[in-house]
Amino acid sequence: MREAIKNIVFGETLVPQEFTLGLPDPQTEITVWLHGAGAPIDITHRHSMVCAAPLTICVGFATEHLPNEADLSRMKLSLCRRHGPKQVLGEVGLKSKAKISRDKATFVLFEPRSSKNFCLSKARLWTHYLLHAYRQRRHDNTNGIKMTFLERRATMVLFIRPHPIVLVSVGSEESGNIFPMNLFGELGDGYFGFALRTERVAGELVENAGRTALSCMPLSQGFIAYQLANNHTKRSIDWAQLPFLTKVSAEFSIPVPDFALRVRELDICEVHSIGSHRFFLARTRRDQVLSEAPAFSSIHGFYQSWRLRQIEERKKERKVSLAGDAMNKRGRYRSETIKHIQK
């Protein structure tokens, strides 16, 4: 009876909100456009999430092309399918809150002022919102991050764009750490932004080191990201105890996974504490692509539901993709067990 009610209310749209799968890096499905200052600007590779609470987004501009204050206060992001009819799948209205200037670039920090999601019908969307609110009330899985309803909805839209899940390495072969991350993005002109939780040790380690290496993972190794989640709270690890082999990065000699598809080595330029996260503004020292295999990535479940509707044999594909997502997350249960034992 319970399953029957679920099928009636949600149809085929009840999938995990964080949905994992293998996709090319850089992703080729979604283009992100910035509206509000003349012709729309393609910022697919010029923006990054900065913080969850308050939800903050960074967009990089060449200073000479920076919009005026009036335009910055009423800008809008639209996320569109890159191919075919270029359908708009989501929109986030923006209001500027701060600026970071460096060299000939200006990085504008925005907060959301509105959000629209077109992946599902309005009826299905609000049904999911109610379920989400119910689950949050019963079990808070945000680890202490308090987001408004608007911030949650805007985050759902932002994760329509596929995000690789990377492993962040810091330190040396003698002393260091490695942990997963998915809040990051290119900001243009060689700049790169990423965010780590303010109260966790991982961010402090990266800030003190002043440099780091980010490794994209193949889909087959994605479960390891969840196994390493507890490393966010550790000052150092024993590299020999990792469930995979490592090698040193080409530029900084930082240990990285032997299976890495792509390794970005970054110099940290500035660090800003913004609400729940530290925001790192960095410059890319070396970006080495080692394989073209699909990268372990995440998208929002609403977008996955939209993707499945475009497939003729969607029921079969839905079953296969759900099984794949569950396999990818098998490391999560090990991580949660370890956390329980440590308590």
Side-chain angles (χ1 to χ4, degrees), residues 15-231:
V15 301
Q17 291 205 13
E18 180 201 30
F19 200 91
T20 58
L21 69 176
L23 291 172
D25 177 36
Q27 61 87 20
T28 58
E29 295 192 5
I30 299 295
T31 304
V32 184
W33 295 94
L34 183 67
H35 301 262
I41 305 168
D42 182 350
I43 62 163
T44 308
H45 304 295
R46 296 191 74 96
H47 79 286
S48 171
M49 281 185 64
V50 169
C51 177
L55 179 60
T56 309
I57 304 150
C58 179
V59 179
F61 296 91
T63 300
E64 60 181 337
H65 298 137
L66 182 67
N68 60 45
E69 290 297 332
D71 288 339
L72 288 174
S73 67
R74 56 171 182 264
M75 305 204 90
K76 178 183 72 174
L77 292 183
S78 66
L79 290 87
C80 310
R81 285 290 292 178
R82 184 181 295 275
H83 306 293
K86 296 179 173 52
Q87 181 179 351
V88 178
L89 298 178
E91 295 178 347
V92 178
L94 303 175
K95 55 185 178 183
S96 64
K97 300 299 291 185
K99 298 185 189 72
I100 302 170
S101 295
R102 193 171 183 87
D103 301 326
K104 297 180 180 179
T106 300
F107 306 94
V108 181
L109 304 185
F110 293 95
E111 292 182 7
R113 57 180 174 80
S114 63
S115 178
K116 295 180 181 178
N117 198 316
F118 306 116
C119 291
L120 304 178
S121 68
K122 284 187 177 181
R124 288 269 193 244
L125 203 59
W126 282 96
T127 304
H128 276 280
Y129 289 157
L130 288 171
L131 177 63
H132 180 68
Y134 171 73
R135 286 175 172 171
Q136 285 297 124
R137 188 175 289 272
R138 294 225 20 208
H139 177 65
D140 183 4
N141 61 359
T142 59
N143 296 316
I145 295 178
K146 302 299 181 183
M147 302 175 70
T148 67
F149 183 44
L150 171 59
E151 288 172 334
R152 292 185 187 281
R153 290 186 292 121
T155 301
M156 293 171 186
V157 172
L158 293 172
F159 270 87
I160 290 173
R161 176 178 71 103
H163 287 62
I165 297 173
V166 299
L167 293 180
V168 181
S169 299
V170 62
S172 64
E173 291 182 286
E174 289 71 38
S175 177
N177 201 348
I178 185 169
F179 44 84
M181 179 182 72
N182 71 341
L183 298 184
F184 62 86
E186 296 177 35
L187 296 173
D189 303 316
Y191 284 100
F192 196 89
F194 62 95
L196 294 168
R197 286 286 294 271
T198 302
E199 80 282 4
R200 291 183 179 166
V201 175
E204 181 184 335
L205 295 176
V206 175
E207 183 174 357
N208 291 340
R211 54 179 53 176
T212 188
L214 274 53
S215 302
C216 285
M217 314 171 64
L219 180 62
S220 60
Q221 302 294 329
F223 68 96
I224 290 174
Y226 295 101
Q227 289 185 4
L228 300 181
N230 290 328
N231 287 0

